[in-house]
Amino acid sequence: MSWTRREALLGLGSLPILGTVWWAGASGTVGKKRERETLLEQLNIQPSLPSAVPAVTGKPVRVGIIGFGIRGEQLCRSLGYATDEWVAAMEEAAAVAKREGRPFTALEDFRNQEPLNVQITGVCDVFDVRAEKAMRSFGTDEVPVKRYTTYTEMIRSGEVEAVVIATPDHWHAPMSIEALNHNVHVYVEKPMTHNLSETYALKEAAMNSSAAFQVGHQHRQTLSFKTARDIVEKEILGHVSLITTNTNRNDDNGAWNYDIHPEANSQTIDWQQFLGNAPVIPFNKNHFFRWRKWWAYGSGLSGDLLTHDYDRLNCVLKMGIPKSVMASGGIYTHKDGRNVPDVLQANMEFPDFSTGSTQKAGKEKGMTFTYSATLGNGLNRPTMLMGHDASMELGNRLTIWPDGGSTRYAGQLEAGKMSPQSPIYSYNPAASALDGVSSATSQYFADKGLMWTYVDGKRVDSTFLHMREWLSVIRNGGELSCGIQEGFDEAIAAHMTGLSWKLGRRIEWDRAGQQVIPIEGVDLDAVLLESPPGVGRLEADVVAAL
C-alpha cells in the first residue's frame, strides 16, 4: 500500500492535538506508519493550546487612546472599535474579493471577535483629523469619547483606568512613566523606550506601580511559538549554536514612506507637542507621518523590526540580554533624507547560553543570534534555529529537520528511518484555515505571528489575544506574557544594536550591574538620538523635491 502525503496527514486525524502534525518519513508502508507514531511518542512534543484567560468581568475597563495613527487604529480594532472609514473600506474590499472569487475575511473576523468589556472614553492625538475621527466613530450618547489635549491631562483626569500608547518611539517612556506613577494601567507599543536612561527609569517606575504594564509584542500569543518552547525544553534540537532571523521588505509602506494626509498642516497638527524632547525644527509633514525614518523620533530597523524577532526568540529560548552586539549596514536602498539604516546586520553574542547538549559534558556552550535586514528586497527568508541534533524553522508554523551529524538521532539516521532532507515534525495550527494575504508586507507580518494565530483551526487576531490578556490581568490579576522584564530585555538589545551601528564598535552588557557598559568620553543616550555625521543629508534641491 502506497501512501500519499495527503493520506498520511489524514491518518493523523485521530491524534489528540491541535492543528496538523506530521512526519515526512511516513510515506511507504503501514510499518512506516508505526515507526512514525513511535517517533512522535518519543519526541513527545505537545502542540500548545491557547492560554486560559479569566473573563474581563465587572464594570467595563475605561481606556484612553494616546496616539491614533496607523497602529493606534489597529489596536482599537483589537479592542472591538473600528472607525466608520475602515468599515466602509472593508465592505468594499469584501465585495471586490467576492466578485474575483478569492477569500477576504477581515470584516467578518472583526465582527465575530469576542467582546472585551471595554469602553474607549478618551483620545489624545496631536493631529485634529485623527482625534475627531476617533470621537465620531467610537463615541455614543451614553459613552462619549473625550478629547484630551495632552497625555498628562488624560492620565491625571481620573476618567480613564488604562491607556494604550501608540505614539512615535520618543514618547513611549515619558507617557508610560507618567501613567505608572499614577497607577494607570499601560499597554505600550514596542520598542518600550527610546534611549538607555529611559529604559532604566521605566523599569523602576513599573516595579513601584500597582498598574498592569504590557508591551505590545503580540506574537507571544502565537501557538507555534509556545509549541517551540516545548521543543526547546525537551532538547529535541540539541545545543543551538546559531539563530538566523531576517527582515525583507521591498515596498514604500515597508520602508516607512506612509501616505501624507491632505489635511495635515501647521494649523491641524500641534507640532511642538509632537516634537517633545526631539530637536526643534520647523513644521515638517514628512517627519510627522514618516517619523520612523529618523532617530529623533524612532529607532530604525533595530527598534521597529529587530525587536519583533528578538522578542519572539526570547519568548522561546529565554536567553535574555546579549553579552555583546556588533552591527553594520547603511542607507543603501532609500536615499530620501532618512538617517536610520535601511540595511542592517546585527550579531548578538550569548557565550554562556545553552539549550542542552547530547554530547560530552563541556563540549558545547554559547550561541550567536544573527539578524539580517533589507528594505530593498522582498525575499521571504525563514527564521532558523540550528542545533547539533536538529534545525527548526519557526514562523506561524514550524518544521524540524534532523541533522546528519546528530548524536541523539544517529541510530535512526544510520538505519534510514530519518533523513536530513525530510522533516521529522511539522506543526501547522492553521491546517483547516483559509487565508487571504493582501500584500507582501502583510505576508511578512503574518509569517512572524504578528497578525494572527489559530484557535481550533480558526484564525484569531494575535493582538486581540494580547490585549485581552492585559485587560484580564487588570480585572483579575495574574501574570503578563510581555511585562516590564521582557520589555526591558527587548529595549536594551535594540539600543545596543543602534549604538553599535552608530559607533562602529562592539557594545557590551554588564549582567551583574544591569547596565550597558559605559564608553569613556561617550554619552550613549546622545549617540542614540543623533544622526551620525553626514548620514541622511541631501542636497537642498533634493530635499525640496521630497
Side-chain angles (χ1 to χ4, degrees), residues 321-390:
I321 296 169
K323 171 64 177 173
S324 65
V325 179
M326 277 290 293
S328 62
I331 302 172
Y332 301 144
T333 69
H334 291 81
K335 295 185 178 296
D336 55 5
R338 70 183 63 208
N339 62 24
V340 301
D342 49 31
V343 173
L344 182 70
Q345 186 89 8
N347 287 327
M348 298 183 179
E349 304 301 334
F350 299 85
D352 298 319
F353 181 76
S354 178
T355 55
S357 176
T358 55
Q359 298 194 79
K360 183 173 66 176
K363 181 180 179 182
E364 302 173 301
K365 187 172 74 170
M367 179 184 76
T368 294
F369 175 109
T370 296
Y371 174 76
S372 173
T374 175
L375 300 183
N377 176 273
L379 178 68
N380 185 14
R381 295 180 289 168
T383 292
M384 296 297 301
L385 287 74
M386 303 178 201
H388 167 69
D389 293 308

Side-chain angles (χ1 to χ4, degrees), residues 71 189-190 216-219 225 245 247 249 301-314 369 371 444-445 448 450 490:
R71 186 57 179 160
E189 273 300 303
K190 53 78 203 161
H217 281 301
Q218 67 272 15
H219 48 239
F225 298 161
T245 188
T247 292
R249 294 177 169 186
L301 284 164
S302 53
D304 185 40
L305 299 175
L306 178 152
T307 50
H308 285 310
D309 287 290
Y310 167 83
D311 185 74
R312 65 197 183 104
L313 269 302
N314 198 24
F369 175 109
Y371 174 76
Y444 165 84
F445 284 125
K448 292 182 182 292
L450 296 169
E490 163 249 89

Side-chain angles (χ1 to χ4, degrees), residues 4 43 55 83 158 165 170 206 208 215 218 246 281 301 351 380 386 410 451 468 479 546:
T4 66
L43 293 177
T83 64
I165 301 171
H170 70 305
N208 293 324
V215 181
Q218 67 272 15
N246 317 280
I281 63 171
L301 284 164
N380 185 14
M386 303 178 201
M451 292 181 70
R468 183 184 68 171
E479 296 294 323
L546 293 171

Side-chain angles (χ1 to χ4, degrees), residues 45 254 276 300 365 476:
I45 299 169
K365 187 172 74 170
N476 305 296

Side-chain angles (χ1 to χ4, degrees), residues 95-414:
V96 171
K98 184 177 181 179
R99 289 197 299 270
E100 295 177 354
R102 55 182 175 81
F104 187 85
T105 63
L107 186 56
E108 179 184 357
D109 292 344
F110 170 76
R111 288 173 171 165
N112 291 335
Q113 190 170 277
E114 173 192 339
L116 285 180
N117 193 28
V118 62
Q119 292 176 344
I120 294 179
T121 59
V123 63
C124 178
D125 195 286
V126 298
F127 184 24
D128 292 342
V129 172
R130 289 176 175 169
E132 291 164 3
K133 179 165 61 173
M135 295 166 66
R136 170 176 40 79
S137 295
F138 304 158
T140 65
D141 292 339
E142 295 77 19
V143 186
V145 175
K146 179 178 178 179
R147 182 181 184 184
Y148 295 87
T149 55
T150 67
Y151 72 93
T152 53
E153 179 190 4
M154 173 186 283
I155 289 168
R156 298 176 185 180
S157 69
E159 297 173 347
V160 299
E161 298 174 72
V163 291
V164 172
I165 301 171
T167 62
D169 298 352
H170 70 305
W171 276 114
H172 288 179
M175 292 174 176
S176 295
I177 291 172
E178 176 74 13
L180 292 168
N181 286 345
H182 288 82
N183 293 315
V184 172
H185 307 287
V186 175
Y187 184 103
V188 64
E189 273 300 303
K190 53 78 203 161
M192 188 180 80
T193 62
H194 199 220
N195 61 44
L196 295 173
S197 296
E198 289 181 346
T199 311
Y200 307 138
L202 179 50
K203 184 176 183 181
E204 182 177 358
M207 298 296 287
N208 293 324
S209 177
S210 62
F213 178 82
Q214 178 93 303
V215 181
H217 281 301
Q218 67 272 15
H219 48 239
R220 284 181 172 264
Q221 308 298 326
T222 302
L223 299 189
S224 58
F225 298 161
K226 295 183 178 184
T227 302
R229 179 68 191 157
D230 184 61
I231 290 167
V232 170
E233 288 178 343
K234 288 172 178 170
E235 300 185 8
I236 287 168
L237 305 181
H239 173 68
V240 174
S241 58
L242 179 64
I243 294 174
T244 59
T245 188
N246 317 280
T247 292
N248 282 64
R249 294 177 169 186
N250 197 15
D251 57 22
D252 283 342
N253 184 66
W256 309 310
N257 281 318
Y258 305 127
D259 292 340
I260 294 176
H261 198 285
E263 296 181 48
N265 57 59
S266 59
Q267 302 304 308
T268 58
I269 292 174
D270 185 341
W271 179 245
Q272 293 307 312
Q273 189 175 174
F274 166 80
L275 288 176
N277 59 15
V280 177
I281 63 171
F283 176 73
N284 188 312
K285 291 188 287 188
N286 199 21
H287 280 226
F288 181 78
F289 288 97
R290 300 169 178 175
W291 54 266
R292 294 186 189 276
K293 301 197 300 182
W294 288 277
W295 290 107
Y297 330 107
S299 310
L301 284 164
S302 53
D304 185 40
L305 299 175
L306 178 152
T307 50
H308 285 310
D309 287 290
Y310 167 83
D311 185 74
R312 65 197 183 104
L313 269 302
N314 198 24
C315 170
V316 171
L317 300 177
K318 301 188 184 300
M319 72 274 188
I321 296 169
K323 171 64 177 173
S324 65
V325 179
M326 277 290 293
S328 62
I331 302 172
Y332 301 144
T333 69
H334 291 81
K335 295 185 178 296
D336 55 5
R338 70 183 63 208
N339 62 24
V340 301
D342 49 31
V343 173
L344 182 70
Q345 186 89 8
N347 287 327
M348 298 183 179
E349 304 301 334
F350 299 85
D352 298 319
F353 181 76
S354 178
T355 55
S357 176
T358 55
Q359 298 194 79
K360 183 173 66 176
K363 181 180 179 182
E364 302 173 301
K365 187 172 74 170
M367 179 184 76
T368 294
F369 175 109
T370 296
Y371 174 76
S372 173
T374 175
L375 300 183
N377 176 273
L379 178 68
N380 185 14
R381 295 180 289 168
T383 292
M384 296 297 301
L385 287 74
M386 303 178 201
H388 167 69
D389 293 308
S391 295
M392 178 166 66
E393 180 179 335
L394 178 63
N396 227 330
R397 63 186 69 187
L398 61 83
T399 307
I400 301 173
W401 288 266
D403 193 272
S406 167
T407 299
R408 176 170 181 163
Y409 307 120
Q412 288 108 318
L413 288 162
E414 185 175 352

